Amino acid sequence: MQYLPDKIRPDARHIIRAASRIVVLTGAGVSAESGVPTFRGDGGLWKSCRAEDLATPEAFARDPRLVWEWYAWRREIVARCSANAAHHAIAKLAATHPETLIVTQNVDGLHSEAAAALGEPGSAPAMPLELHGSLFVIRCTRCAWRRPHREPIDATLHDTLPRCESCGALARPAVVWFGELLNQTELERAFDAARAADVCLVVGTSAVVQPAASIALATLEGGGAIVEVNPTETPLSPHALVSLRDRAALALPDMLL
Ligand code: OAD
């Protein structure tokens, strides 16, 4: 980004207002004020757990009960959380600007909750592309079976873990683990939208996990701008036209509504 002195740096709200095609890329920080723990930083999930012990196919093959116990715990936390003002502001933006695509790395379902709260016809355009899957969908480890799943999980014994209702094999969370490929069709859709976007609004992500972090750079390559909302600096900050050092639930309603 070319250096702009503060006096002539455009205001985030004006940049968003002037844009017709917008990609909103979110990470764990957008849900922080809902009470969902982030992954990195103080109190982050990866401070107390090693990702490779819990969020890899190898970890699940080694000890599915332990992995399910961790996911059952996370599901319980998230089930008690609700969409916050940031999720609602983003959902309203998408409902009123049809060329908006919400792309999230989050598996908590809170963007979908905010979309559903809009009712029809706004909810469909406000539904996010969930790049890393969902905590509340399970899938078979052997066949193509999958289904939404919100029932409590009993991870006390291997025998009580959820099983595929089609072939009987062990079921697993339908989330993307380290070392696994993202859904390529969804990824292409995200990159295509980002390349064509006037603005990529990046909210609450440390931008260190690929390929998600590169989605914002695709907007730059396509001639658009990055606007970032994050209390701390990230690798995307030097590329952003505006970086707001603020919490999402405070900054976004003011910026988007
Ligand atoms: P991180 O935990 O890495 O980063 C959260 C970001 O949110 C940090 O940059 C914080 O500064 C910022 N943040 C904290 N509170 C905020 C607030 N109130 N408002 C705005 N921002 C705030 O989470 P992600 O970037 O989402 O992947 O992590 C990316 C991926 O790494 C996750 O999807 C997950 C993880 O490993 C998988 O599990 C595959």
Side-chain angles (χ1 to χ4, degrees):
M1 185 195 85
Q2 152 207 16
Y3 174 73
L4 293 173
D6 278 347
K7 269 194 198 142
I8 58 166
R9 197 183 289 273
D11 173 56
R13 190 206 296 242
H14 287 121
I15 300 170
I16 303 286
R17 295 249 158 106
S20 46
R21 283 164 299 189
I22 304 170
V23 165
V24 185
L25 174 66
T26 70
V30 76
S31 300
E33 280 143 303
S34 295
V36 182
T38 59
F39 290 93
R40 298 170 185 82
D42 291 343
L45 287 170
W46 297 147
K47 281 252 159 140
S48 48
C49 325
R50 287 189 343 137
E52 55 275 29
D53 289 341
L54 294 162
T56 64
E58 294 76 20
F60 191 75
R62 194 166 55 236
D63 193 346
R65 199 206 59 76
L66 177 70
V67 174
W68 260 123
E69 190 174 55
W70 189 64
Y71 276 94
W73 170 73
R74 284 180 60 197
R75 280 165 50 126
E76 274 171 32
I77 294 175
V78 172
R80 288 196 295 269
C81 297
S82 304
N84 67 45
H87 299 104
H88 288 300
I90 292 169
K92 277 188 199 143
L93 174 79
T96 49
H97 292 69
E99 289 187 88
T100 301
L101 180 65
I102 302 168
V103 180
T104 188
Q105 299 165 84
N106 298 346
V107 292
D108 56 29
L110 295 182
H111 282 299
S112 303
E113 185 186 306
L118 292 171
E120 291 301 337
S123 62
M127 286 304 283
L129 206 155
E130 293 175 319
L131 278 184
H132 292 168
S134 167
L135 279 180
F136 299 104
V137 178
I138 65 173
R139 69 175 177 88
C140 181
T141 49
R142 189 160 55 197
C143 73
W145 178 88
R146 60 165 56 221
R147 79 160 167 90
H149 187 281
R150 285 197 168 260
E151 302 90 293
I153 287 179
D154 180 356
T156 45
L157 296 169
H158 188 278
D159 285 351
T160 59
L161 298 179
R163 303 202 79 89
C164 173
E165 289 162 17
S166 174
C167 75
L170 207 52
R172 56 163 277 182
V175 297
V176 179
W177 284 330
F178 290 98
E180 292 185 322
L181 282 181
L182 274 62
N183 178 307
Q184 293 305 297
T185 311
E186 288 184 353
L187 198 58
E188 263 172 46
R189 193 175 155 222
F191 271 99
D192 287 349
R195 261 188 294 274
D198 304 310
V199 174
C200 184
L201 173 61
V202 184
V203 185
T205 176
S206 57
V208 294
V209 172
Q210 296 295 351
S214 297
I215 290 171
L217 297 177
T219 298
L220 271 193
E221 283 157 23
I226 296 174
V227 171
E228 180 183 58
V229 178
N230 196 314
T232 57
E233 186 165 353
T234 77
L236 287 177
S237 303
H239 303 286
L241 188 53
V242 175
S243 259
L244 286 183
R245 296 279 161 259
D246 207 344
R247 289 182 282 155
L250 292 180
L252 289 186
D254 187 44
M255 188 198 294
L256 303 181
L257 300 179

Short mmCIF file of all heavy atoms in Angstrom, two decimals, residues 18 60 64 83 91 99 101 108 122 141 145 154 187 189 194 196 216 222 234 238 244:
data_model
loop_
_atom_site.label_atom_id
_atom_site.label_comp_id
_atom_site.label_asym_id
_atom_site.label_seq_id
_atom_site.Cartn_x
_atom_site.Cartn_y
_atom_site.Cartn_z
N ALA A 18 -18.66 3.27 -0.73
CA ALA A 18 -18.38 3.47 -2.17
C ALA A 18 -18.23 2.14 -2.90
O ALA A 18 -18.20 2.10 -4.13
CB ALA A 18 -17.10 4.29 -2.32
N PHE A 60 -6.93 -37.99 15.42
CA PHE A 60 -8.22 -38.69 15.49
C PHE A 60 -8.02 -40.20 15.33
O PHE A 60 -8.66 -40.99 16.03
CB PHE A 60 -9.16 -38.16 14.41
CG PHE A 60 -10.59 -38.62 14.58
CD1 PHE A 60 -11.40 -38.07 15.57
CD2 PHE A 60 -11.11 -39.62 13.76
CE1 PHE A 60 -12.71 -38.51 15.74
CE2 PHE A 60 -12.42 -40.05 13.92
CZ PHE A 60 -13.22 -39.49 14.90
N PRO A 64 -9.59 -41.19 18.97
CA PRO A 64 -10.82 -40.47 18.58
C PRO A 64 -11.62 -39.98 19.79
O PRO A 64 -12.25 -38.92 19.74
CB PRO A 64 -11.62 -41.51 17.79
CG PRO A 64 -10.99 -42.84 18.07
CD PRO A 64 -9.58 -42.57 18.48
N ALA A 83 -24.79 -14.76 18.37
CA ALA A 83 -24.21 -13.79 17.43
C ALA A 83 -24.16 -12.42 18.10
O ALA A 83 -25.08 -12.06 18.85
CB ALA A 83 -25.07 -13.74 16.17
N ALA A 91 -24.17 -9.34 8.52
CA ALA A 91 -25.33 -9.98 7.86
C ALA A 91 -26.19 -8.94 7.17
O ALA A 91 -26.63 -9.13 6.02
CB ALA A 91 -26.14 -10.76 8.89
N GLU A 99 -23.96 -8.05 -3.80
CA GLU A 99 -22.67 -8.54 -4.30
C GLU A 99 -21.65 -8.71 -3.17
O GLU A 99 -20.46 -8.58 -3.39
CB GLU A 99 -22.14 -7.63 -5.39
CG GLU A 99 -22.94 -7.78 -6.67
CD GLU A 99 -22.32 -7.00 -7.81
OE1 GLU A 99 -21.45 -7.57 -8.49
OE2 GLU A 99 -22.69 -5.84 -7.99
N LEU A 101 -19.94 -11.20 -0.33
CA LEU A 101 -19.76 -12.60 0.06
C LEU A 101 -19.06 -12.63 1.42
O LEU A 101 -18.01 -12.01 1.60
CB LEU A 101 -18.91 -13.34 -0.98
CG LEU A 101 -18.66 -14.83 -0.66
CD1 LEU A 101 -19.96 -15.64 -0.70
CD2 LEU A 101 -17.65 -15.44 -1.64
N ASP A 108 -18.11 -21.80 14.24
CA ASP A 108 -19.08 -21.64 15.33
C ASP A 108 -20.52 -21.42 14.87
O ASP A 108 -21.45 -21.43 15.69
CB ASP A 108 -18.64 -20.51 16.27
CG ASP A 108 -18.44 -19.17 15.55
OD1 ASP A 108 -19.10 -18.92 14.52
OD2 ASP A 108 -17.60 -18.37 16.02
N GLY A 122 -33.56 -11.70 3.22
CA GLY A 122 -32.18 -11.29 3.48
C GLY A 122 -31.25 -12.41 3.87
O GLY A 122 -30.04 -12.33 3.69
N THR A 141 -16.23 -41.18 8.66
CA THR A 141 -14.80 -41.30 8.36
C THR A 141 -14.57 -42.24 7.16
O THR A 141 -13.45 -42.34 6.67
CB THR A 141 -14.03 -41.86 9.57
OG1 THR A 141 -14.72 -43.03 10.04
CG2 THR A 141 -13.93 -40.85 10.68
N TRP A 145 -21.47 -39.95 3.97
CA TRP A 145 -22.57 -39.51 4.85
C TRP A 145 -22.16 -38.30 5.71
O TRP A 145 -21.05 -38.24 6.22
CB TRP A 145 -22.96 -40.68 5.76
CG TRP A 145 -24.04 -40.36 6.75
CD1 TRP A 145 -25.38 -40.45 6.56
CD2 TRP A 145 -23.86 -39.93 8.11
NE1 TRP A 145 -26.05 -40.10 7.71
CE2 TRP A 145 -25.14 -39.76 8.66
CE3 TRP A 145 -22.74 -39.64 8.91
CZ2 TRP A 145 -25.35 -39.34 9.98
CZ3 TRP A 145 -22.94 -39.22 10.22
CH2 TRP A 145 -24.24 -39.07 10.75
N ASP A 154 -21.53 -37.85 23.86
CA ASP A 154 -21.00 -38.58 25.01
C ASP A 154 -19.64 -39.14 24.61
O ASP A 154 -19.55 -40.13 23.89
CB ASP A 154 -21.98 -39.69 25.40
CG ASP A 154 -21.47 -40.49 26.61
OD1 ASP A 154 -20.33 -40.21 27.06
OD2 ASP A 154 -22.20 -41.37 27.08
N LEU A 187 -13.26 -22.80 -2.11
CA LEU A 187 -12.06 -21.97 -2.10
C LEU A 187 -11.99 -21.13 -3.38
O LEU A 187 -11.70 -19.93 -3.34
CB LEU A 187 -10.84 -22.87 -1.97
CG LEU A 187 -9.56 -22.20 -1.52
CD1 LEU A 187 -9.74 -21.52 -0.17
CD2 LEU A 187 -8.45 -23.25 -1.39
N ARG A 189 -14.48 -20.22 -5.21
CA ARG A 189 -15.53 -19.20 -5.15
C ARG A 189 -15.05 -18.00 -4.31
O ARG A 189 -15.26 -16.85 -4.68
CB ARG A 189 -16.79 -19.82 -4.52
CG ARG A 189 -17.98 -18.97 -4.71
CD ARG A 189 -19.27 -19.60 -4.22
NE ARG A 189 -20.21 -18.56 -3.90
CZ ARG A 189 -20.98 -18.55 -2.84
NH1 ARG A 189 -20.99 -19.56 -2.00
NH2 ARG A 189 -21.80 -17.55 -2.62
N ALA A 194 -13.02 -12.54 -4.22
CA ALA A 194 -12.03 -11.60 -3.67
C ALA A 194 -11.32 -10.84 -4.79
O ALA A 194 -11.10 -9.63 -4.69
CB ALA A 194 -11.02 -12.36 -2.81
N ALA A 196 -12.48 -10.06 -7.64
CA ALA A 196 -13.40 -9.12 -8.28
C ALA A 196 -13.88 -8.03 -7.32
O ALA A 196 -14.57 -7.08 -7.74
CB ALA A 196 -14.61 -9.88 -8.81
N ALA A 216 -7.53 -12.12 1.08
CA ALA A 216 -7.51 -10.65 1.07
C ALA A 216 -6.49 -10.13 0.06
O ALA A 216 -6.72 -9.11 -0.60
CB ALA A 216 -7.17 -10.14 2.47
N GLY A 222 -6.42 -7.77 -7.57
CA GLY A 222 -7.48 -7.39 -8.50
C GLY A 222 -7.72 -5.89 -8.54
O GLY A 222 -8.65 -5.43 -9.21
N THR A 234 -1.51 -7.37 12.20
CA THR A 234 -1.40 -8.69 11.59
C THR A 234 -0.52 -8.58 10.34
O THR A 234 -0.22 -7.46 9.89
CB THR A 234 -2.79 -9.23 11.15
OG1 THR A 234 -3.16 -8.57 9.93
CG2 THR A 234 -3.85 -9.03 12.21
N PRO A 238 0.09 -4.15 6.91
CA PRO A 238 0.84 -3.27 6.00
C PRO A 238 0.20 -3.15 4.62
O PRO A 238 0.50 -2.22 3.89
CB PRO A 238 2.21 -3.97 5.89
CG PRO A 238 2.28 -4.93 7.02
CD PRO A 238 0.87 -5.31 7.34
N LEU A 244 -8.28 -0.61 11.39
CA LEU A 244 -8.89 -0.07 12.60
C LEU A 244 -8.48 -0.92 13.77
O LEU A 244 -8.78 -2.13 13.80
CB LEU A 244 -10.41 -0.09 12.49
CG LEU A 244 -11.06 0.95 11.60
CD1 LEU A 244 -12.57 0.81 11.68
CD2 LEU A 244 -10.63 2.35 12.01
#
